[in-house]
Amino acid sequence: MGRVNALGIAGLCALGLLTGCGPQTPSQVVPGPTSSPAEGGQAADVWVFNTWSAEQGADYQEPKGLVLTEFTSLNEIEWTSWEPDEATGSGDLTGTWCLPPDCGGGPFPVTVRLSDPQEVAGRSYYTRYELPEIEQQLPEKIYEKVGYDEFSGRLQLPQG
């Protein structure tokens, strides 16, 4: 097996460890009433396409877990707002960049902001995420190792 394939498999295994192990309980993994795949409208009819607990992805409003990138996820999210232009909440940040022994006490409590809704196939989705206070919320050693680009970017969208 080539070096690139071995590194890719190692990365996938590490991601599997993050999402498949640890102190997750069924309530953390199985979405609750406001976290379930979208079935009806809520006050702000904006969705987020999410692969958390849905390998192919599903439409969610106020999910308890959110995959930001292939390397970074949020768990135990408590949403303080879910509005037509922006959603704000706080949760626990984890990532493959934070594996023992280099993690330094993670997961890390952070603030998340979703924004820039755009229509895909007749439904509005948030398309951007940002962890606006990440520099203060993450240990300097880890922030510098990972870099800001991992903590701000585009969200995945459904195939329209």
Side-chain angles (χ1 to χ4, degrees):
M1 174 181 328
R3 179 182 168 109
V4 172
N5 284 342
L7 289 173
I9 291 171
L12 288 174
C13 289
L15 184 59
L17 287 172
L18 281 174
T19 59
C21 298
Q24 296 176 345
T25 64
S27 66
Q28 291 172 306
V29 175
V30 177
T34 60
S35 305
S36 61
E39 295 175 3
Q42 292 186 352
D45 205 17
V46 182
W47 307 87
V48 63
F49 186 75
N50 191 10
T51 56
W52 181 264
S53 297
E55 187 174 320
Q56 300 301 313
D59 298 345
Y60 287 80
Q61 289 185 318
E62 300 184 21
K64 288 290 185 187
L66 180 61
V67 175
L68 300 176
T69 73
E70 63 186 296
F71 305 110
T72 304
S73 296
L74 289 171
N75 308 298
E76 297 298 319
I77 304 170
E78 295 293 329
W79 297 98
T80 55
S81 70
W82 192 273
E83 302 297 328
D85 293 327
E86 183 177 281
T88 305
S90 58
D92 293 334
L93 180 70
T94 61
T96 55
W97 41 264
C98 187
L99 297 174
D102 299 327
C103 194
F108 303 99
V110 297
T111 302
V112 61
R113 180 182 308 136
L114 307 182
S115 63
D116 195 19
Q118 294 180 7
E119 192 171 307
V120 176
R123 182 171 270 179
S124 186
Y125 293 88
Y126 293 117
T127 63
R128 299 205 55 82
Y129 73 91
E130 178 185 14
L131 307 179
E133 301 165 7
I134 192 68
E135 197 169 351
Q136 295 82 34
Q137 295 173 323
L138 203 61
E140 184 177 348
K141 173 179 124 179
I142 294 176
Y143 178 80
E144 288 176 358
K145 173 184 171 185
V146 178
Y148 188 75
D149 289 345
E150 186 69 18
F151 305 126
S152 174
R154 296 200 52 81
L155 291 165
Q156 189 175 9
L157 292 172
Q159 300 299 312

